[in-house]
Amino acid sequence: TLLLRMATTDAVLRVKNSLLSLQSDGIIAEYFKLHLSSLEEYLRHVLSSTCNDVTGSHLTLATTHSRLLTDRDVDQLRLHLSTDTETDRIEITSLSLQQFQTELQYTREIQRFLRGNSSIEGREGCHKKILLI
């Protein structure tokens, strides 16, 4: 089950062409049972878990090679994931791999996000930061 949680959809669908082809229908069914149907649904599931007791925060990182979300999509996602309580704030940052010229620039931007001061830090409650790349 752990390997299926980490596998990409492409890899799971290619199982039909491997030595596991006889078991492929069961593997594919299990994979899609474990995974949720949309990014919003996945993030809602992840954010529903409790915060880290030490840091009082929750960090989620999603990476893809394609540009899936526009700035407007990110705003809509933030709106749908936010709650009305002052103690449960979400910060969403979306970056595109194409905006980086070097791996060093990419690494520095992630470090800046992880260390950076945000508008939600310093408030009571759980601080949830989402970085979509």
Side-chain angles (χ1 to χ4, degrees), residues 7-132:
T8 64
T9 304
D10 178 60
V12 171
L13 293 176
R14 284 187 281 130
V15 150
K16 287 184 177 189
N17 302 323
S18 74
L19 295 173
L20 297 172
S21 61
L22 295 176
Q23 300 168 344
S24 65
D25 289 340
I27 291 171
I28 292 170
E30 180 68 21
Y31 175 80
F32 284 106
K33 189 167 58 171
L34 290 171
H35 290 80
L36 302 169
S37 62
S38 70
L39 178 62
E40 180 181 337
E41 194 175 325
Y42 168 74
L43 291 175
R44 190 175 305 285
H45 173 75
V46 169
L47 294 174
S48 68
S49 64
T50 58
C51 281
N52 181 308
D53 291 337
V54 176
T55 64
S57 63
H58 191 98
L59 174 67
T60 302
L61 173 66
T63 305
T64 182
H65 289 284
S66 62
R67 178 91 173 150
L68 296 178
L69 299 172
T70 65
D71 290 340
R72 184 169 182 231
D73 293 332
V74 172
D75 290 340
Q76 287 295 314
L77 187 61
R78 184 180 299 109
L79 180 68
H80 289 275
L81 293 174
S82 294
T83 63
D84 293 332
T85 64
E86 190 68 26
T87 61
D88 198 19
R89 295 291 179 177
I90 299 171
E91 177 184 344
I92 300 176
T93 301
S94 178
L95 304 172
S96 171
L97 287 176
Q98 291 78 17
Q99 76 187 65
F100 304 107
Q101 299 298 316
T102 66
E103 187 176 340
L104 182 60
Q105 287 176 331
Y106 173 75
T107 303
R108 284 184 179 158
E109 190 62 33
I110 291 175
Q111 289 172 341
R112 190 173 305 131
F113 174 81
L114 294 173
R115 279 186 282 175
N117 295 332
S118 75
S119 59
I120 61 171
E121 291 174 2
R123 295 184 182 181
E124 291 294 318
C126 183
H127 307 137
K128 300 175 181 184
K129 295 174 75 169
I130 301 170
L131 177 58
L132 302 169

